[in-house]
Amino acid sequence: MSHESLPNNHKLLLQELLQLCEDNLGASTESAVLAVMHGWLVQTIDTVKAALVVHDAGLASATSPLVRAALENAVGMHWLRQVQDAGLGGLHNSHKRWAGNLKRALSAAEAQDLDPDDPKWPAAWAELVAQIESQPSAPHVKGGGNIAERFEVTELAHVYVAWLSETSLSHATQASATPYLEQVDDIYHLSRKPHASRGESLEGRCFVALDIALHAIAEVFDSEPLRLKLTDIEDRFAASAGDMNES
C-alpha cells in the first residue's frame, strides 16, 4: 500500500463504520433506556458527519467541539447501558438542575434589562421551568449529571483523556488561542491559520467515538455478529495505522 493511499483507506473504514451505525438504528421500542441510547447513537453519527464536513471545508481547527460531543454521546450510551433505569432518574435530576440554572439566568437577564422596549423572554420559558422544577427528584446515581463520572463508571479512562484534549480546544482557553499566535521576544505574531497541526487524524478521533457507540449496542443486545463486524473493522483500521507509522 502506498503512503498516499493510507489516509483514504482510513476514510473508507470510517465510512464503513458509519454505515454500520446507520444499519443498527431502530424504529421503535418499549424501553426508555433503549430509546435514549438510540437518540445518543444518532447524535454520535451526526456529529461525526458534521466534523467531516467541517474538516473538508478547510476548518479542521473547528472540529474539536464536534468530536467532543460525539465522544460524550458514545460514552453516555455505555453508561446508560450499565446503570439502566437508575440512569434515567439521573438524567431527570440533571434536567431539573438545568431548569434551575435557566431560571436564575432569566432572572439575571431581566434585572439587567434597562430598556422597556427590549423584547422580553417568552412566558413559555418560565412555564417550562416551573413544570420541570415541580417534578420530584429521583435517587442519585453516579454519572447522572457529571460527565467525568460517566468515564469512571464505564472504565473508559483512555477515552476521558481524549475527551479532555478535545475539551481544551472547544472553549475559550489558553490551548484554543495558542495555535494562532507565536511570541518572539515581546511581540505576538498573529496568524489566521493555526501554525501547528494536531498529531491525531480526524478519522482516528471519530473512529473512537463510533466504535464505542457500536460496542454499547452490541452489548445491550448481546449481538455476536455485530461484535465480529466491529472486530474486523477495528483490526483493519489498526493495521492501516500501523502501515502509516512504518512509512
Side-chain angles (χ1 to χ4, degrees), residues 3 5 10 22 60 90 92 108 128-129 135-136 147 159 179 192 207 243:
H3 180 71
S5 66
H10 267 183
E22 296 280 3
H92 168 74
L128 173 64
V129 167
Q135 298 172 4
I147 299 299
V159 184
R192 175 62 182 85
F207 191 96
D243 290 340

Side-chain angles (χ1 to χ4, degrees), residues 95-170:
H95 197 48
K96 281 176 63 68
R97 287 192 293 275
W98 169 84
N101 289 336
L102 178 59
K103 181 179 180 179
R104 288 188 289 273
L106 288 172
S107 297
E110 289 173 357
Q112 294 175 5
D113 184 7
L114 303 179
D115 189 339
D117 295 327
D118 283 347
K120 305 301 179 184
W121 298 108
W125 284 26
E127 294 172 4
L128 173 64
V129 167
Q131 179 184 356
I132 295 172
E133 287 191 318
S134 67
Q135 298 172 4
S137 297
H140 173 76
V141 60
K142 193 171 186 177
N146 187 301
I147 299 299
E149 289 181 351
R150 293 184 188 178
F151 287 98
E152 186 178 346
V153 171
T154 55
E155 298 184 345
L156 291 169
H158 62 294
V159 184
Y160 185 43
V161 173
W163 180 84
L164 285 173
S165 176
E166 303 294 352
T167 299
S168 70
L169 298 173
S170 298

Side-chain angles (χ1 to χ4, degrees), residues 210-226:
L210 294 174
D211 192 53
I212 291 170
L214 277 174
H215 271 292
I217 296 297
E219 293 303 319
V220 78
F221 289 112
D222 193 20
S223 173
E224 190 61 23
L226 180 53

